[in-house]
Amino acid sequence: MSKVAPPYTLFFSISDSKQRAEVRHTNAADFTSAWQTLTADIHQAVWQAKMNPCWLRIDWVNRRSSTTLANLYEILSNTKPGYFRYGLALDQDCKIAFLEQELNGNAMLYEGNCIDHAVLNKRNFKSYCQRRFGDQVELDFADERNVVLLSTEGLFCESHKEPVYLSGAGPNTGRRIINNLNAKLITQLIENASSYLGRQLTSSGHFHSGWYPCFDLEIEGHNNLRHASCAHAMIETWEVSKDPALQAVIERALNVLTSDLIQTIPLKTGETAAFLVESNSEIKLGGNALSLLALVKYSEAMGVRAYADLMEQLAKGIEFMQNQASGQFCHVLDYPSLNIKKQRLAIQFDTEAAFGLIRLYSWDKNPRWLTMVEKALEYFIATEQWRTHDHRLSYCLNELTKYRPKEKYYQLGIRNFANHLGFVENCKTTFPALLELMMSAEKMISHLHSQGLFQELLDQVNLEHFYRVLAKRADHLLNGYFWPEFAMFFKNPEKITGGFFIRHKGFRLRADEVEQYLSGLIAYRNFLLDQTLQKPACIDNPPQTEKANHIDNIMFSTP
């Protein structure tokens, strides 16, 4: 922790996990005065809110930078939404000041998905400012107004747990310091995120689409395709935890998928095909693919054959959508006519379909599916599909090369990531699909190395750089996790804690995006275990300081 000189600006944020944190701050010439003032203020806030607190966050300002609102507007215009990583004071004395987490949790610098940069949202700013400071504050957004950018460090305390220090400046700002991202810690995150997904399953067996957590608003509309992908993620997680409660959730989700969302249709060939049908009567190629992936994964994990016929029918549905001459897929059909509605919609549908088919082949060894996959791969090679850097292509190739270890398939897999490492390394967003890409690439690299196959292909990859990027990308995913020290600033903390969010989309929690985080972390955990790198769990906390010694008195005594 950096040394802080007076005057001291100190924040206390406290929450019972059920409501948005109450935040108080003060400025003082000495630390003791600041601490005593805030202790009294936070007790009063707890009493007024009728709160039984379980989370306390303490932040102190360690750097200040004065500027004008005009300059702040310019900074925001060049900053992705959610990526302004400073607190903000509206006066030189920091009497009206906000933590970065307050700004984000109340959408004070966010104007919606249609604007690709941060914006000072005057409506939300005024609303939260009034809540925090009352009616006496008059906000002036004139360009010439002087403001102060605040960098902070912090400490987070949770009932019956050791305090953890929070990172200062940089991409990890405001979250707990993790010195060792090991398999045990990743397992905890996986189980927590799976629990979050499980809570999204309604009594009807359908998933909530997701949430905009700033104001606890549900994402409108239901997407059956995402239902299938969430089920797949929970089955992957069950393989980690073997949790009976999670299995029960999986059974409910699959029952809805197979009984309500998937429809069978007789084809002119005399065979019966199955299709995942959306609420608008669209059949999407990706829906069939993800349903197939979920059911194959379930069949393998549980050792059952209950869905064997339905999986075959889903594969026949994919076959119906493939041009048998070119290998290309169409993407959207109308239900129940099966007329083509859209030839192309989403590039990932192609690779999802091929991956679903090769996974089914791995399970039932029907050569019909393998033939379809190889036709698709010829199309992918001809159209240079590697330029999309799609992790699903790598997944497909890793499975296909078990049965067809051809150099052209390995070459396609290497090209899919080799010239993309710079982007993966420097991408500021968490972009969970990138870890999936890296983990599937690592699997191919390991296979080529261990089997002694096509070693010249490995010369196309700087392996030292690759593994450095892999570790960095896995660590960066922690910045998309709703740690309690983040969640406490949003409207309904206990609902979102343990989920994964997309920062530049208003901290959106969408079920299929949580699934992508889970898949990447599960693969990374398996990688760590395979490499025998697991060490004792370690979230290193520096010894308690004078600041931490007062915590129990604040949290667990009454005002």
Side-chain angles (χ1 to χ4, degrees):
M1 298 295 121
S2 61
K3 187 175 181 179
V4 181
Y8 296 98
T9 300
L10 192 63
F11 291 79
F12 282 2
S13 308
I14 198 160
S15 173
D16 60 358
S17 82
K18 295 178 174 58
Q19 55 188 307
R20 199 188 299 271
E22 292 291 333
V23 184
R24 299 293 184 271
H25 86 283
T26 193
N27 302 280
D30 62 275
F31 179 78
T32 301
S33 296
W35 190 272
Q36 290 175 346
T37 298
L38 275 187
T39 299
D41 285 353
I42 208 70
H43 276 313
Q44 182 67 19
V46 168
W47 180 78
Q48 290 177 339
K50 298 179 181 180
M51 183 187 294
N52 182 21
C54 60
W55 296 334
L56 171 67
R57 176 171 168 147
I58 304 164
D59 290 270
W60 52 92
V61 174
N62 60 7
R63 243 181 18 255
R64 307 161 197 262
S65 177
S66 296
T67 187
T68 63
L69 269 179
N71 191 48
L72 175 63
Y73 295 150
E74 180 66 22
I75 292 171
L76 294 177
S77 71
N78 292 290
T79 302
K80 290 183 75 68
Y83 280 81
F84 181 78
R85 307 308 303 273
Y86 300 95
L88 184 64
L90 301 185
D91 57 285
Q92 295 299 310
D93 295 328
C94 294
K95 291 181 180 179
I96 308 299
F98 307 94
L99 292 167
E100 176 214 330
Q101 290 72 32
E102 290 180 275
L103 299 173
N104 286 325
N106 293 278
M108 296 161 73
L109 301 178
Y110 183 68
E111 282 279 12
N113 288 338
C114 295
I115 300 178
D116 63 358
H117 60 82
V119 176
L120 196 151
N121 186 315
K122 295 179 182 179
R123 181 186 65 256
N124 292 347
F125 215 104
K126 289 177 179 178
S127 176
Y128 182 70
C129 189
Q130 183 179 42
R131 177 192 171 198
R132 180 110 127 70
F133 296 103
D135 295 328
Q136 72 273 20
V137 177
E138 292 188 10
L139 290 179
D140 172 17
F141 295 109
D143 287 359
E144 62 273 14
R145 178 170 186 160
N146 290 319
V147 295
V148 181
L149 309 188
L150 307 174
S151 293
T152 62
E153 296 175 74
L155 188 72
F156 177 74
C157 313
E158 187 171 3
S159 302
H160 313 303
K161 294 184 180 180
E162 288 293 315
V164 292
Y165 276 93
L166 307 178
S167 295
N172 304 342
T173 296
R175 72 147 166 93
R176 63 191 62 193
I177 296 171
I178 307 292
N179 291 323
N180 181 17
L181 181 55
N182 55 46
K184 186 172 183 179
L185 174 58
I186 294 174
T187 301
Q188 293 172 358
L189 300 182
I190 290 168
E191 291 176 348
N192 291 345
S194 176
S195 177
Y196 166 80
L197 270 185
R199 297 196 302 271
Q200 304 315 300
L201 196 70
T202 67
S203 58
S204 68
H206 296 79
F207 286 100
H208 289 290
S209 294
W211 306 93
Y212 292 110
C214 292
F215 306 111
D216 195 24
L217 300 175
E218 186 169 7
I219 296 173
E220 294 182 359
H222 291 279
N223 189 311
N224 295 340
L225 184 152
R226 292 175 190 156
H227 184 104
S229 68
C230 289
H232 182 269
M234 290 196 297
I235 299 164
E236 280 191 296
T237 307
W238 181 86
E239 290 183 310
V240 174
S241 68
K242 300 295 192 291
D243 180 7
L246 177 59
Q247 183 175 350
V249 172
I250 293 168
E251 302 284 358
R252 287 174 54 212
L254 289 185
N255 182 60
V256 167
L257 176 68
T258 57
S259 300
D260 298 345
L261 307 183
I262 294 174
Q263 304 295 328
T264 56
I265 301 178
L267 302 177
K268 293 180 180 179
T269 60
E271 295 185 304
T272 298
F275 299 92
L276 181 72
V277 182
E278 296 291 343
S279 58
N280 63 353
S281 297
E282 284 186 347
I283 294 169
K284 295 178 180 176
L285 177 66
N288 265 42
L290 291 170
S291 298
L292 188 54
L293 287 168
L295 294 176
V296 171
K297 172 61 75 172
Y298 178 82
S299 301
E300 289 179 340
M302 306 300 176
V304 298
R305 298 188 60 84
Y307 295 117
D309 290 344
L310 183 58
M311 290 190 292
E312 181 175 313
Q313 290 168 348
L314 285 166
K316 290 175 182 176
I318 294 175
E319 184 179 44
F320 183 85
M321 301 176 80
Q322 186 180 36
N323 183 311
Q324 298 305 305
S326 69
Q328 183 182 14
F329 296 99
C330 72
H331 285 184
V332 184
L333 304 177
D334 177 68
Y335 174 81
S337 70
L338 300 187
N339 293 328
I340 295 177
K341 188 171 183 180
K342 293 179 183 177
Q343 181 66 36
R344 309 293 294 167
L345 179 64
I347 189 67
Q348 68 267 22
F349 284 178
D350 293 325
T351 48
E352 284 172 346
F355 182 41
L357 290 168
I358 193 61
R359 290 286 289 120
L360 178 59
Y361 174 77
S362 297
W363 187 72
D364 71 3
K365 298 299 186 291
N366 185 336
R368 181 176 181 176
W369 321 134
L370 183 59
T371 299
M372 291 170 62
V373 174
E374 292 210 85
K375 286 180 181 178
L377 262 293
E378 290 304 317
Y379 175 76
F380 296 163
I381 292 170
T383 56
E384 298 186 325
Q385 193 95 340
W386 60 268
R387 294 185 183 277
T388 65
H389 309 295
D390 185 357
H391 62 280
R392 303 165 192 84
L393 176 58
S394 291
Y395 283 155
C396 176
L397 289 166
N398 283 337
E399 200 76 20
L400 175 61
T401 50
K402 293 178 184 178
Y403 313 103
R404 295 289 188 270
K406 297 179 181 180
E407 183 175 8
K408 63 180 179 180
Y409 295 152
Y410 286 112
Q411 179 64 83
L412 181 60
I414 294 294
R415 285 178 174 168
N416 198 40
F417 71 88
N419 70 348
H420 202 50
L421 294 181
F423 177 83
V424 176
E425 181 175 23
N426 297 310
C427 181
K428 291 183 179 181
T429 69
T430 47
F431 199 171
L434 293 181
L435 182 59
E436 292 192 84
L437 175 64
M438 292 298 291
M439 295 316 308
S440 54
E442 196 284 327
K443 192 176 246 186
M444 176 169 282
I445 288 171
S446 294
H447 181 72
L448 286 170
H449 181 73
S450 64
Q451 299 298 314
L453 293 170
F454 310 119
Q455 295 300 290
E456 66 278 6
L457 296 179
L458 292 179
D459 294 338
Q460 300 174 30
V461 184
N462 182 331
L463 293 179
E464 181 181 351
H465 184 215
F466 175 87
Y467 282 100
R468 185 170 68 249
V469 172
L470 173 61
K472 181 178 179 180
R473 182 48 45 180
D475 185 70
H476 191 40
L477 254 64
L478 301 184
N479 294 319
Y481 180 74
F482 260 130
W483 303 97
E485 60 264 28
F486 275 0
M488 66 190 295
F489 294 95
F490 293 79
K491 185 172 182 179
N492 192 343
E494 67 179 354
K495 176 188 283 187
I496 62 177
T497 301
F500 284 95
F501 57 81
I502 302 297
R503 177 179 284 267
H504 61 284
K505 298 294 185 181
F507 291 80
R508 178 181 72 194
L509 291 96
R510 207 172 72 187
D512 60 320
E513 291 164 344
V514 175
E515 174 263 324
Q516 286 189 332
Y517 277 98
L518 274 171
S519 293
L521 287 172
I522 289 169
Y524 189 65
R525 172 187 178 272
N526 293 338
F527 165 73
L528 293 181
L529 293 175
D530 289 344
Q531 297 296 309
T532 66
L533 293 179
Q534 187 175 10
K535 301 175 183 177
C538 176
I539 302 179
D540 291 340
N541 304 315
Q544 287 190 339
T545 65
E546 179 186 354
K547 302 180 186 74
N549 292 334
H550 298 271
I551 290 164
D552 287 343
N553 292 332
I554 295 173
M555 291 187 67
F556 306 117
S557 62
T558 55

